[in-house]
Each structure stands twice: as C-alpha cells, then as structure tokens.
Amino acid sequence: TQFLTLNAAATDASGIKQIKLFFDGQLVASCAMTGSCSFTGGPYAPGPHAYYATAQDNSPAQNSSTSTVVTINVSDGQAPTLAVLQPLNGQTFTSSPITVSGTAGDFSGIAAVSVNGQTASGTTAWSKAISLAPGLNTITVVATDNSPSRNATTKVISVTYTPPSDA
C-alpha cells in the first residue's frame, strides 16, 4: 500500500469559489475560496485508481477535469509464499489425471500460479488437474506476485503413478 498526493489548480476572471478532489469516486478534499487544492492520503492498495477535480467559480459556473488513472505499483522485493497441499511428496496414484492444489500469498498479491507450465485456477487458493506418465513424476509449481519485479517461488515434488495392472 502506498500514499499519494493529489494537487489541483484553477483560475477564472470571477475568482474560484471551491475546488473538490475526488479519488476512486469519493470526495477526498474540498478547498474553498482558493485557486488550488491539495490532498495526501492512503495507504492505497496496488493497482489502478482514478482521480479528478471539479472547480466552481464565483459566477457560479462549475467545470470538471477529465478523470485520470494512476497505477500504484509496489515492489516488495520478496518472493511469494507457496504451499503445495495436494498431492503429498512421494505419494503414489493409480489413476490419472490428479489434482494439484495449494495456497500462495504475497504482500503485493498473486498474479498467477502455474503447475508444470499450465495456468492453475485461482491464485491465493489454486488447483490444476494434470496428467501423469507411469512411474516417477516431477511436479513444478510456480507462484508469481504482482510486484513490478514479478518475484516467483518454485516448489518441486515427486509422485509415482502406478496404473492398475490388467489381470
């Protein structure tokens, strides 16, 4: 989360009665009888946010600025946490595909989780069904966070697939 300062200025021959600042649709500052207005607020979550200003002159005409989108990026420098809950390392299966599932977390949020290079469903709680070849299989899970540096954590587990024998 980050703090942000918004500034607005307006001029008019009749003078400025009021300037209002809006952030994500909410009024965050109202400055009367001045040609400028400033607001510092937060903390704000990473991601896109919109702000705009309105100015009312002494006539009392009013005008609004166009909405501007700012994106707050947080580079936490930390790799996300990643836990593979199923299957257990060393587990043996008699049917394929199997579902690999677990959890991931990070201060900046989780952008994606992949299992053996395939995108999993979900991010903080995720799962993916994968096919196994007979014998020992290595499963690689990668969680990538939302920070601009795209930190990743990798977990590798091994499972064995022993299909039932035809008797």
Side-chain angles (χ1 to χ4, degrees):
T1 55
Q2 298 293 311
F3 290 84
L4 187 65
T5 299
L6 304 174
N7 296 300
T11 59
D12 186 81
S14 68
I16 299 299
K17 182 176 181 181
Q18 184 176 48
I19 296 176
K20 294 180 180 178
L21 292 172
F22 295 83
F23 188 76
D24 286 344
Q26 300 295 312
L27 176 67
V28 294
S30 180
C31 305
M33 308 306 288
T34 179
S36 65
C37 193
S38 182
F39 169 78
T40 299
Y44 297 111
H49 298 274
Y51 71 93
Y52 68 95
T54 62
Q56 182 179 7
D57 66 17
N58 288 322
S59 67
Q62 180 172 307
N63 196 5
S64 295
S65 70
T66 58
S67 183
T68 301
V69 175
V70 294
T71 300
I72 298 174
N73 291 317
V74 178
S75 180
D76 59 12
Q78 300 293 316
T81 59
L82 176 62
V84 178
L85 303 176
Q86 290 293 322
L88 301 175
N89 194 32
Q91 194 169 352
T92 299
F93 294 89
T94 57
S95 64
S96 178
I98 65 163
T99 298
V100 181
S101 64
T103 60
D106 188 78
F107 169 76
S108 66
I110 299 297
V113 175
S114 65
V115 179
N116 286 359
Q118 301 174 37
T119 302
S121 297
T123 53
T124 55
W126 54 267
S127 66
K128 180 65 180 172
I130 62 168
S131 296
L132 301 175
L136 185 63
N137 287 262
T138 300
I139 300 169
T140 303
V141 181
V142 178
T144 305
D145 69 16
N146 282 321
S147 73
S149 55
R150 299 298 241 188
N151 302 307
T153 298
T154 302
K155 296 278 183 177
V156 177
I157 62 169
S158 295
V159 296
T160 303
Y161 173 48
T162 307
S165 60
D166 294 332

